[in-house]
Amino acid sequence: MALASAQSTSGIVPEVDQFIRSRTRRMLIDGKWVESASGKTFATHNPATEDILAEVPAGEKEDVDRAVRAARRAFENGPWRRMTASERGRALWKLADLIEKHGEEFAQLETLDNGKPLAVARVADVPLVVDHFRYYAGWATKVEGETIPVSIPGQRFLNYTLREPVGVVGQIIPWNFPLLMAAWKLGAALACGNTVVLKPAEQTPLSALRLGELLEEAGIPAGVVNIVTGYGETAGAAIAAHPDLDKVAFTGSTEVGKEVMRAATGNLKRVSLELGGKSPNIIFADADLDEAAVGAASAIYFNHGQCCCAGSRLFIEQKAYDKVMPKLIDFSQKVKLGPGMDPATEMGPLVSSEQYQRVTGYLAAGKQEGARVAAGGGRPKDLSKGYFVQPTVFADVRPDMKVIREEIFGPVVCAIPFKDPSEVAAAGNDTTYGLAAAVWTRDIGKAHRMAETLRAGTVWINCYNVFDAASPFGGYKQSGFGREMGKAALDLYTQLKSVWVNLGPHGDNGQ
Ligand code: NAI
Ligand code: MG
């Protein structure tokens, strides 16, 4: 009773309380909740308290094999194959409704497991997930082929294309938006009629497992979505290398993306990769500088900088540098850090001890290489537990520094002055990555010219971090390839078949 009342005051809904208190979770294979074949489990933590939240199965190769067999059966022989496109669409829509109905639970699980503020999980993660499934519910009935006029002398042919599912798909997702990344992967794959083996990140498996509990009620048959929890090196690697998967879709670090691609060569499975970034955010002096400064702060601090598209290189036109920097610094110093479940919190902890070590390692490297800390720069003094890092602004950086070249994936931005558009275009593109970029200016011509020049999969003008299920997202260069979201994602999850029908020689029928 005491525990229950303590938890209710902390605002945890009973479903989540129960979910966490049952402690040992199972994973979903072939519609059944199972342990790992080895019986091994691992713990997932609350990064605000460092406490263990739950134990989940440590799935390995044998479990992935089992899940792939189930997904293969579901693809080849199951009811999924016989369902109409409309029924598939309705199941996805129903899934969206169920997630919406349990929205508060999902938001809380996300906050507890990942660390993000509950208010953010409520207004960003969960509604985006719901929208995403609804958007792809609509596509299920619109995955069309074409009829193509062909020109074969002397003979008439009907040529048409069928757009068919790729088959059985492995999907490996990261921890920064656990449920949303699951939605990005599942929405398009299911709308197109594939079956899936999904591996959530080991840091944040809980919301995907909860999602798994809703599949049956949504009308998605057993085996269509299998959720294998486990580490990257074991379960993830087994997915990438699996000989009976037709495709692997991966979101995460560029380094692991390359490994996934190498492993996929064994059976030449299709590969799509959504990887890291070091995105330039460019403020021209003619922009609304108040808006741009706040935009620059949220570009890097949203999700604690743990966004593949974080605006981590902030270029400010020389003339405006001394106006923008104080605003950015002021904003950075005022961000309220704390546990995500605390309503006053604006920024939570980083996801894990490993990520904390990585980000603080970059803070040390920046200082050691001579960058000046203009704001933040370390651990907040008033928080003794949890993986908290202050919003940090580095100034006086050089283009060869680690903090400029490498993805930090934390609330750390490097501010760099520039003189003119061609200089900043070259500097902005001086990176191996190409996921996103942004431009702040009132000059519409300059805005569009920059959008054309920047080598990135997304360019935001006078905004940042705007997403919609209908708009494609993905990388240039080493930020990966393939586009998720929008109509473009259908290409990732379908393959084209060209069908030829001999209609006989010209002349029949008077033609
Ligand atoms: P990671 O790339 O190791 O993990 C992402 C996913 O890949 C997880 O599900 C993980 O279990 C899996 N994985 C790991 N090794 C694998 C392997 N050998 N084969 C198959 N799957 C594997 O990312 P990590 O270690 O969590 O974070 C490291 C850095 O990666 C971050 O600091 C950040 O720079 C970047 N990152 C980028 C993300 C993005 O959205 N583009 C998301 C997460 C991390
Ligand atoms: Mg890793």
Side-chain angles (χ1 to χ4, degrees), residues 127-139:
L128 284 170
V129 167
V130 171
D131 250 19
H132 197 86
F133 280 117
R134 290 204 176 120
Y135 175 80
Y136 282 102
W139 270 116

Side-chain angles (χ1 to χ4, degrees), residues 29 44 75 118 159 225 260 278 281 333 374 382:
I29 297 180
T44 179
F75 181 72
L118 183 57
N159 179 247
V225 177
V260 165
K278 194 73 189 176
N281 187 14
Q333 288 166 342
D382 54 332

Side-chain angles (χ1 to χ4, degrees), residues 45-375:
H45 294 84
N46 177 345
T49 60
E50 306 177 27
D51 294 337
I52 292 178
L53 279 171
E55 294 276 338
V56 301
E60 295 177 347
K61 185 174 177 303
E62 204 179 328
D63 305 286
V64 169
D65 283 346
R66 197 155 44 127
V68 172
R69 280 197 301 274
R72 175 61 63 190
R73 274 195 307 274
F75 181 72
E76 306 289 351
N77 310 313
W80 188 238
R81 200 57 188 263
R82 293 188 295 273
M83 277 165 73
T84 65
S86 171
E87 285 168 330
R88 268 205 319 273
R90 244 178 298 156
L92 284 176
W93 193 280
K94 178 95 186 282
L95 184 61
D97 286 347
L98 289 169
I99 296 167
E100 193 168 51
K101 180 172 153 204
H102 296 279
E104 180 61 18
E105 277 171 66
F106 278 108
Q108 295 197 1
L109 279 175
E110 224 58 336
T111 291
L112 291 168
D113 212 6
N114 164 280
K116 63 182 69 197
L118 183 57
V120 173
R122 280 176 182 154
V123 303
D125 298 67
V126 173
L128 284 170
V129 167
V130 171
D131 250 19
H132 197 86
F133 280 117
R134 290 204 176 120
Y135 175 80
Y136 282 102
W139 270 116
T141 47
K142 296 160 197 76
V143 180
E144 299 171 338
E146 294 173 316
T147 57
I148 298 174
V150 289
S151 310
I152 313 289
Q155 189 85 356
R156 290 180 310 159
F157 289 90
L158 167 65
N159 179 247
Y160 64 94
T161 57
L162 295 173
R163 194 170 270 276
E164 299 185 328
V166 171
V168 184
V169 177
Q171 302 183 320
I172 302 170
I173 57 172
W175 41 259
N176 49 349
F177 296 91
L179 187 66
L180 186 59
M181 292 301 103
W184 281 23
K185 293 277 178 287
L186 292 174
L190 298 179
C192 295
N194 299 276
T195 62
V196 173
V197 176
L198 175 78
K199 192 198 85 62
E202 53 269 43
Q203 296 83 352
T204 54
L206 297 183
S207 55
L209 292 176
R210 181 72 186 100
L211 176 72
E213 292 179 348
L214 302 179
L215 295 170
E216 191 180 350
E217 192 180 344
I220 296 171
V224 171
V225 177
N226 304 275
I227 302 172
V228 176
T229 49
Y231 291 107
E233 297 72 16
T234 48
I239 287 174
H242 203 287
D244 197 34
L245 282 171
D246 299 303
K247 173 185 166 68
V248 60
F250 172 82
T251 298
S253 60
T254 293
E255 187 195 347
V256 173
K258 289 178 185 177
E259 274 180 50
V260 165
M261 195 162 165
R262 276 192 290 271
T265 55
N267 71 335
L268 287 182
K269 60 173 69 64
R270 277 70 184 130
V271 177
S272 54
L273 303 172
E274 204 263 88
L275 308 175
K278 194 73 189 176
S279 298
N281 187 14
I282 301 170
I283 301 180
F284 285 99
D286 64 6
D288 178 329
L289 297 181
D290 286 325
E291 232 178 67
V294 173
S298 63
I300 184 66
Y301 300 143
F302 177 60
N303 217 41
H304 326 159
Q306 300 168 135
C307 288
C308 46
C309 53
S312 50
R313 292 182 300 142
L314 175 62
F315 294 94
I316 309 169
E317 191 170 353
Q318 188 81 61
K319 284 182 283 189
Y321 191 80
D322 290 335
K323 293 192 193 117
V324 174
M325 282 299 270
K327 296 182 207 286
L328 174 64
I329 290 165
D330 185 53
F331 188 107
S332 307
Q333 288 166 342
K334 285 188 178 143
V335 174
K336 172 93 182 76
L337 273 86
M341 291 301 289
D342 181 342
T345 291
E346 292 168 342
M347 190 191 280
L350 300 181
V351 72
S352 64
S353 140
E354 193 189 3
Q355 195 60 18
Y356 177 84
Q357 298 301 337
R358 201 176 281 141
V359 173
T360 50
Y362 277 110
L363 295 180
K367 292 173 199 168
Q368 199 240 325
E369 288 186 302
R372 180 169 58 80
V373 175

